[in-house]
Amino acid sequence: MRIVNYLSNLILSVSLAVISSLTFAETTLIKNVNGYSLNAQGDLINFSQIAFKDDKIIAVGHTFSVGNVDRTIDADGQVMLPGIIDAHGHMLGLGENLLSVDVRSAKSEIEAAQLVQNFISAHADSASEWVIGRGWNQVLWPNKQFPTKASLDALNINKPIVLSRVDGHAIWVNSVALDKAGITATTPSPSGGEIVKDAAGHPTGLLIDNASYLVEKLIPKPDEAQLAEQLQAANEHLLSLGITSMHDAGIGQHVAEFYQAQANANNLHVRIYAMLAATDKNLPAMLAKGHITDANDMLSIRSVKAYGDGALGSRGAALLEPYSDDPDNHGLLVTPQEQLPSLFREVLGANFQLNFHAIGDRANRLALDEFAKTFAIFPENTERHRIEHAQVVAVEDIPKFKTLGIIPSMQPTHATSDMNMAEDRLGKVRLKGAYAWQTFLDQGSRIAFGSDFPVELAHPFHGLHAAVTRQSGDNLPESGWIPEESVTLKQALRGFTLDAAYSGFQDDILGTLEAGKKADFILIDRDIFAIEPSQIRDTQVLETWVNGEQKYRR
């Protein structure tokens, strides 16, 4: 009997070992692909097959042997690329946007208000006490005028309505929201923000930058179930677009803890490189915990997002000289200049990366100067710090990025969205340092490309198209806007893969398809290196794989 039991146990152990090896050490070969990737040196390579064991690539090329293969997949000539890394987005903001009022398509203020009405009618049974939405852009409307509370009040909705501008740097609200926040004609604008008022001194319903917080702080924080719903919606959307990793630009302690719980429960399907919000009162405690990562490399927290100024569209970007179309306005500093030294020292002293939001040339100069001063204090932490957006930079300041090793984290579709108003705001002279991608690359800077979703659509092939053509979705203007700053497709792909990974200290595991790196890749419906640049934008993702697992199939 003992021998029988022993043999039974031995057979069971061997069976479990075999099952375990198939489940946790499975080798997959995908053949007959038309694959493109950069290598570690940044050279473009082409390959026809790739093999990976579990989550790690073991071979890439045209001919190789990897021993026993458990699964072989014939890609039938489809094009393979590394998984796209969006170096600047807002994960839960995207999820919320997918689940709330979207007014991006509105061609006028009245149409935007009607979209709100349509949403409310379609969600009549909603128990939500607030109506939240995003996406309006007055620059695209016939009169180009900022909206007012009057059009929202006309809906006769007895709930506060809060609609964020497409760039997230202004909100448009109704009177109910103003009343709830106690904003009246006598309420002063806060530092770094503006309560816009009419000729009679009454609030118009437009709150810019820090003034938005007067209302937004009253919006109930989403509970765990709502956060999970937002995360799931964002995960599904990004995977369908070929995005396998994103850098979340500014999260508070509550979201940081939520992400850690989701990572531990294997509920993160897109990698998140999260930046702690410098505005969170619990920042010192979060820094004290040190760098955070999970066993599957799905979550990394080792950086801080700080806020320099507002946005160009709402005239909140901080400029050295006044706005060309508003000569009394220099924009806004969201973080007062006198607070920058202590902020920079706190973050760099904790051995965290600092990613500083700067759109205007004044905000960029302040950040560069402060980095230089702080590097002298903490010489052990001078690598891979970033300026987020770096949209308008004084020409004489651009070389400082290379000298200091600061990474410009830029969003190609911002240029094609802003080209309708950028010259109005800046004049021709300042455009020489605006959206200057090729100038940065020519001096040897590494650019991390992203989209800033949901400010822009998350679609990375829109970003690749914009980077290469400097054109809108309609391929206008014909020769591109400031075409000398366009980049090659290889440079654009590098910005969305290798250099995006580099900007998150993850280029040792992500960004290229090479042996030893994570099996994050996508299959697409066209060869973007063999078609007209105008057709890149329409690329569709067929499959998305993360950690060697298929996460999306069209």
Coordinates of all heavy atoms in Angstrom, one line a residue, residues 256-305:
A256 N -2.7 56.5 -5.3 CA -1.5 55.7 -5.2 C -1.8 54.4 -4.4 O -1.3 53.3 -4.8 CB -0.4 56.5 -4.5
E257 N -2.5 54.5 -3.4 CA -2.9 53.3 -2.6 C -3.8 52.4 -3.4 O -3.7 51.2 -3.3 CB -3.5 53.7 -1.3 CG -2.5 54.4 -0.3 CD -3.1 55.0 0.9 OE1 -4.4 55.0 1.0 OE2 -2.4 55.4 1.8
F258 N -4.7 53.0 -4.1 CA -5.6 52.2 -5.0 C -4.9 51.5 -6.0 O -5.1 50.3 -6.2 CB -6.7 53.2 -5.6 CG -7.5 52.5 -6.7 CD1 -8.5 51.6 -6.4 CD2 -7.2 52.8 -8.0 CE1 -9.3 51.0 -7.4 CE2 -8.0 52.3 -9.0 CZ -9.0 51.4 -8.7
Y259 N -3.9 52.1 -6.7 CA -3.1 51.5 -7.7 C -2.3 50.3 -7.1 O -2.2 49.2 -7.7 CB -2.1 52.4 -8.3 CG -2.7 53.3 -9.4 CD1 -2.0 54.5 -9.8 CD2 -4.0 53.0 -10.0 CE1 -2.6 55.3 -10.8 CE2 -4.5 53.9 -10.9 CZ -3.8 55.0 -11.4 OH -4.3 55.8 -12.3
Q260 N -1.8 50.5 -5.9 CA -1.0 49.4 -5.3 C -1.9 48.2 -5.0 O -1.5 47.0 -5.2 CB -0.3 49.9 -4.0 CG 0.8 50.9 -4.2 CD 1.3 51.5 -2.9 OE1 2.0 50.8 -2.2 NE2 1.1 52.7 -2.7
A261 N -3.1 48.4 -4.5 CA -4.0 47.4 -4.3 C -4.4 46.6 -5.6 O -4.5 45.4 -5.6 CB -5.3 47.9 -3.5
Q262 N -4.6 47.4 -6.6 CA -5.0 46.8 -7.9 C -3.9 46.0 -8.5 O -4.1 45.0 -9.1 CB -5.4 47.9 -8.9 CG -6.7 48.7 -8.5 CD -7.9 47.7 -8.5 OE1 -8.3 47.1 -9.4 NE2 -8.6 47.7 -7.3
A263 N -2.6 46.5 -8.3 CA -1.5 45.8 -8.8 C -1.3 44.4 -8.1 O -1.1 43.4 -8.7 CB -0.2 46.6 -8.6
N264 N -1.5 44.5 -6.7 CA -1.4 43.2 -5.9 C -2.5 42.2 -6.3 O -2.3 41.0 -6.1 CB -1.5 43.6 -4.4 CG -0.3 44.4 -4.0 OD1 0.8 44.3 -4.5 ND2 -0.5 45.1 -2.9
A265 N -3.7 42.8 -6.8 CA -4.8 41.9 -7.2 C -4.7 41.5 -8.7 O -5.6 40.9 -9.2 CB -6.1 42.5 -6.9
N266 N -3.6 41.9 -9.3 CA -3.4 41.6 -10.8 C -4.5 42.3 -11.6 O -5.0 41.7 -12.6 CB -3.4 40.1 -11.1 CG -2.1 39.5 -10.5 OD1 -1.0 40.1 -10.5 ND2 -2.3 38.3 -9.9
N267 N -5.0 43.4 -11.2 CA -6.0 44.1 -12.0 C -5.5 45.3 -12.9 O -6.3 46.0 -13.5 CB -7.1 44.7 -11.0 CG -7.9 43.6 -10.4 OD1 -8.1 42.5 -11.0 ND2 -8.4 43.9 -9.2
L268 N -4.2 45.4 -12.9 CA -3.6 46.4 -13.9 C -3.2 45.7 -15.1 O -2.4 44.7 -15.1 CB -2.3 47.0 -13.3 CG -2.5 47.9 -12.0 CD1 -1.2 48.5 -11.6 CD2 -3.6 48.9 -12.2
H269 N -3.8 46.1 -16.3 CA -3.5 45.4 -17.5 C -2.7 46.3 -18.5 O -2.2 45.8 -19.5 CB -4.8 45.0 -18.2 CG -5.7 44.1 -17.3 ND1 -5.3 42.9 -16.9 CD2 -6.9 44.3 -16.7 CE1 -6.2 42.3 -16.1 NE2 -7.2 43.2 -16.0
V270 N -2.6 47.6 -18.1 CA -1.7 48.5 -18.8 C -0.7 48.9 -17.7 O -1.1 49.3 -16.6 CB -2.5 49.7 -19.3 CG1 -1.5 50.8 -19.8 CG2 -3.4 49.3 -20.5
R271 N 0.6 48.9 -18.0 CA 1.6 49.4 -17.0 C 1.4 50.8 -16.7 O 1.1 51.7 -17.6 CB 3.0 49.1 -17.6 CG 3.3 47.7 -17.9 CD 4.8 47.5 -18.4 NE 4.9 46.3 -19.0 CZ 5.1 45.1 -18.4 NH1 5.1 45.0 -17.1 NH2 5.3 44.0 -19.1
I272 N 1.6 51.2 -15.4 CA 1.4 52.5 -15.0 C 2.7 53.0 -14.3 O 3.2 52.4 -13.3 CB 0.2 52.7 -14.0 CG1 -1.1 52.3 -14.6 CG2 0.2 54.1 -13.4 CD1 -2.3 52.3 -13.7
Y273 N 3.3 54.0 -14.8 CA 4.4 54.7 -14.2 C 3.8 56.0 -13.6 O 3.5 56.9 -14.3 CB 5.5 55.1 -15.2 CG 6.7 55.8 -14.7 CD1 7.7 55.0 -14.0 CD2 6.8 57.1 -14.8 CE1 8.8 55.7 -13.5 CE2 8.0 57.8 -14.2 CZ 8.9 57.0 -13.6 OH 10.0 57.7 -13.1
A274 N 3.6 56.0 -12.3 CA 2.8 57.0 -11.7 C 3.6 58.1 -11.1 O 4.7 57.9 -10.4 CB 1.9 56.4 -10.6
M275 N 3.2 59.4 -11.3 CA 3.9 60.5 -10.7 C 3.0 61.0 -9.5 O 1.8 61.3 -9.7 CB 4.0 61.7 -11.7 CG 4.6 61.3 -13.0 SD 4.6 62.6 -14.2 CE 4.7 61.7 -15.8
L276 N 3.6 61.2 -8.4 CA 2.9 61.7 -7.2 C 2.6 63.2 -7.4 O 3.5 63.9 -7.9 CB 3.7 61.5 -5.9 CG 4.0 60.0 -5.6 CD1 4.9 60.0 -4.4 CD2 2.8 59.2 -5.4
A277 N 1.4 63.6 -7.0 CA 1.1 65.1 -7.2 C 1.8 65.9 -6.1 O 1.6 65.6 -4.9 CB -0.4 65.3 -7.1
A278 N 2.5 66.9 -6.6 CA 3.2 67.8 -5.6 C 2.3 68.5 -4.7 O 2.6 69.0 -3.7 CB 4.2 68.7 -6.3
T279 N 1.0 68.7 -5.2 CA 0.0 69.4 -4.4 C -0.6 68.6 -3.3 O -1.4 69.2 -2.5 CB -1.1 69.9 -5.4 OG1 -1.6 68.8 -6.2 CG2 -0.5 71.0 -6.4
D280 N -0.3 67.3 -3.3 CA -1.0 66.5 -2.2 C -0.3 66.8 -0.9 O 0.9 66.8 -0.7 CB -0.8 65.0 -2.6 CG -1.7 64.1 -1.7 OD1 -1.4 64.0 -0.5 OD2 -2.6 63.5 -2.2
K281 N -1.2 67.1 0.1 CA -0.6 67.4 1.4 C 0.1 66.3 2.1 O 0.9 66.5 3.0 CB -1.8 67.9 2.3 CG -2.8 66.7 2.6 CD -3.9 67.2 3.5 CE -4.9 66.1 3.8 NZ -6.0 66.6 4.7
N282 N -0.1 65.1 1.6 CA 0.6 63.9 2.1 C 1.9 63.6 1.4 O 2.4 62.5 1.5 CB -0.3 62.7 2.1 CG -1.5 62.9 3.0 OD1 -1.4 63.3 4.2 ND2 -2.7 62.7 2.4
L283 N 2.4 64.5 0.5 CA 3.6 64.2 -0.3 C 4.8 63.8 0.6 O 5.4 62.8 0.3 CB 3.9 65.4 -1.1 CG 5.2 65.2 -2.0 CD1 5.0 64.1 -3.0 CD2 5.6 66.6 -2.7
P284 N 5.1 64.5 1.7 CA 6.2 64.0 2.5 C 6.1 62.6 3.0 O 7.1 61.8 2.9 CB 6.2 65.0 3.7 CG 5.5 66.2 3.2 CD 4.5 65.7 2.2
A285 N 4.9 62.2 3.4 CA 4.8 60.8 3.8 C 4.9 59.8 2.6 O 5.5 58.7 2.8 CB 3.4 60.6 4.4
M286 N 4.5 60.2 1.5 CA 4.6 59.3 0.3 C 6.1 59.2 -0.1 O 6.5 58.1 -0.5 CB 3.7 59.8 -0.9 CG 2.2 59.7 -0.6 SD 1.2 60.1 -2.1 CE 1.3 61.8 -2.2
L287 N 6.8 60.3 -0.1 CA 8.2 60.3 -0.4 C 9.0 59.4 0.6 O 9.9 58.7 0.2 CB 8.8 61.7 -0.4 CG 8.3 62.7 -1.5 CD1 8.9 64.1 -1.3 CD2 8.6 62.2 -2.9
A288 N 8.6 59.5 1.8 CA 9.3 58.7 2.9 C 9.2 57.2 2.6 O 10.0 56.4 3.1 CB 8.7 59.0 4.2
K289 N 8.2 56.7 1.9 CA 8.0 55.3 1.6 C 9.0 54.8 0.6 O 9.2 53.6 0.4 CB 6.6 55.0 1.1 CG 5.5 55.2 2.2 CD 4.1 54.8 1.7 CE 3.1 54.9 2.7 NZ 1.7 54.6 2.2
G290 N 9.6 55.8 -0.2 CA 10.6 55.4 -1.2 C 9.9 54.9 -2.5 O 8.7 55.0 -2.6
H291 N 10.8 54.4 -3.4 CA 10.3 53.9 -4.6 C 9.4 52.7 -4.5 O 9.7 51.8 -3.6 CB 11.4 53.6 -5.6 CG 12.3 54.7 -5.9 ND1 13.5 54.6 -6.6 CD2 12.2 56.0 -5.6 CE1 14.1 55.8 -6.7 NE2 13.3 56.7 -6.1
I292 N 8.3 52.6 -5.3 CA 7.4 51.4 -5.2 C 7.3 50.8 -6.5 O 7.1 51.4 -7.6 CB 6.0 51.9 -4.7 CG1 6.1 52.4 -3.2 CG2 5.0 50.8 -4.8 CD1 4.8 53.1 -2.8
T293 N 7.4 49.4 -6.5 CA 7.1 48.7 -7.7 C 6.4 47.4 -7.3 O 6.4 47.0 -6.1 CB 8.4 48.4 -8.5 OG1 8.0 47.8 -9.8 CG2 9.3 47.5 -7.8
D294 N 5.9 46.6 -8.3 CA 5.2 45.4 -8.0 C 6.0 44.2 -8.7 O 6.9 44.5 -9.5 CB 3.8 45.4 -8.4 CG 3.6 45.3 -9.9 OD1 4.2 46.1 -10.6 OD2 2.9 44.4 -10.3
A295 N 5.6 43.0 -8.3 CA 6.4 41.9 -8.8 C 6.3 41.7 -10.3 O 7.3 41.2 -10.9 CB 5.8 40.6 -8.1
N296 N 5.2 42.2 -11.0 CA 5.1 42.0 -12.4 C 5.5 43.2 -13.2 O 5.2 43.3 -14.4 CB 3.6 41.6 -12.7 CG 3.2 40.3 -12.1 OD1 4.0 39.4 -12.2 ND2 2.0 40.2 -11.6
D297 N 6.1 44.2 -12.5 CA 6.5 45.5 -13.2 C 5.3 46.2 -13.8 O 5.4 46.8 -14.9 CB 7.6 45.2 -14.2 CG 8.9 44.8 -13.5 OD1 9.4 45.5 -12.7 OD2 9.4 43.7 -13.9
M298 N 4.1 46.0 -13.2 CA 2.9 46.7 -13.8 C 2.7 48.1 -13.2 O 2.0 49.0 -13.7 CB 1.7 45.9 -13.6 CG 1.7 44.6 -14.3 SD 1.8 44.7 -16.1 CE 0.4 45.6 -16.5
L299 N 3.4 48.4 -12.0 CA 3.3 49.6 -11.4 C 4.6 50.1 -10.9 O 5.4 49.4 -10.3 CB 2.3 49.5 -10.2 CG 2.2 50.8 -9.3 CD1 1.5 51.9 -10.1 CD2 1.4 50.5 -8.0
S300 N 4.9 51.4 -11.1 CA 6.2 52.0 -10.6 C 5.8 53.4 -10.1 O 5.2 54.2 -10.9 CB 7.2 52.1 -11.7 OG 8.4 52.7 -11.3
I301 N 6.2 53.7 -8.9 CA 6.0 55.0 -8.3 C 7.4 55.5 -7.8 O 7.9 55.0 -6.8 CB 5.0 55.0 -7.2 CG1 3.7 54.4 -7.7 CG2 4.8 56.4 -6.6 CD1 2.6 54.3 -6.6
R302 N 8.0 56.4 -8.5 CA 9.3 57.0 -8.1 C 9.5 58.4 -8.6 O 10.6 58.9 -8.7 CB 10.4 56.1 -8.7 CG 10.4 55.9 -10.2 CD 11.7 55.2 -10.7 NE 12.9 55.9 -10.3 CZ 14.1 55.4 -10.4 NH1 14.3 54.1 -10.8 NH2 15.2 56.1 -10.1
S303 N 8.4 59.1 -8.9 CA 8.5 60.4 -9.5 C 7.4 61.3 -8.9 O 6.4 60.8 -8.4 CB 8.4 60.4 -11.0 OG 7.1 59.9 -11.4
V304 N 7.6 62.6 -9.1 CA 6.6 63.6 -8.6 C 6.3 64.6 -9.7 O 7.2 65.0 -10.5 CB 7.2 64.4 -7.4 CG1 6.3 65.6 -7.0 CG2 7.4 63.5 -6.2
K305 N 5.0 64.8 -9.9 CA 4.6 65.8 -10.9 C 4.3 67.2 -10.2 O 3.5 67.2 -9.2 CB 3.2 65.3 -11.5 CG 2.4 66.4 -12.3 CD 3.0 66.7 -13.7 CE 2.1 67.7 -14.4 NZ 0.8 67.2 -14.7

